[in-house]
Amino acid sequence: MAEDSPAHGGTRPRPEKPDARQPSGADVGWGITGTMLSGIIVWGGAGLALDRWLGTQFIALIGVLLGLGVAIYLIIVKYAPPVPPTGTGARRTPRGGRPSQPRTQKGQR
């Protein structure tokens, strides 16, 4: 324990790789919020600019919806859990490598 704390007046050593740090829940939440807002603002702003340039009133709504869709796609790609591998090694077995016996209700075999 004493080796984990820095010497008096010293600083703690930094982790070897900054990529090894896992983001906290707040970091993930702010990342999702920022992605959603930036998609809506950027694409909605482009639609609003086209609306003013062309004299229409519906392209801004299309831009907002397109930005929302793109933002949701990017969030799914970035934060979705990885897909487990398929193939011969994907079958689940308990420790020891043998499949377990089927479970039955209490008192039945």
Side-chain angles (χ1 to χ4, degrees):
M1 294 294 197
E3 59 274 356
D4 290 338
S5 61
H8 185 69
T11 59
R12 290 187 179 183
R14 293 187 178 214
E16 304 247 347
K17 295 180 182 178
D19 296 335
R21 185 179 78 87
Q22 293 292 326
S24 69
D27 291 339
V28 172
W30 282 112
I32 290 173
T33 303
T35 303
M36 294 287 280
L37 287 175
S38 63
I40 292 170
I41 291 170
V42 168
W43 289 89
L48 185 64
L50 282 173
D51 268 345
R52 293 197 180 198
W53 185 48
L54 298 174
T56 60
Q57 295 182 354
F58 64 92
I59 299 177
L61 178 62
I62 293 172
V64 167
L65 294 176
L66 181 67
L68 184 63
V70 169
I72 290 172
Y73 172 75
L74 289 174
I75 289 168
I76 290 172
V77 167
K78 184 173 183 179
Y79 294 106
V83 178
T86 58
T88 59
R91 201 179 89 170
R92 305 286 267 173
T93 57
R95 291 183 191 170
R98 290 181 287 173
S100 62
Q101 297 294 325
R103 297 193 181 250
T104 59
Q105 290 188 356
K106 189 174 181 179
Q108 297 179 359
R109 291 216 175 227

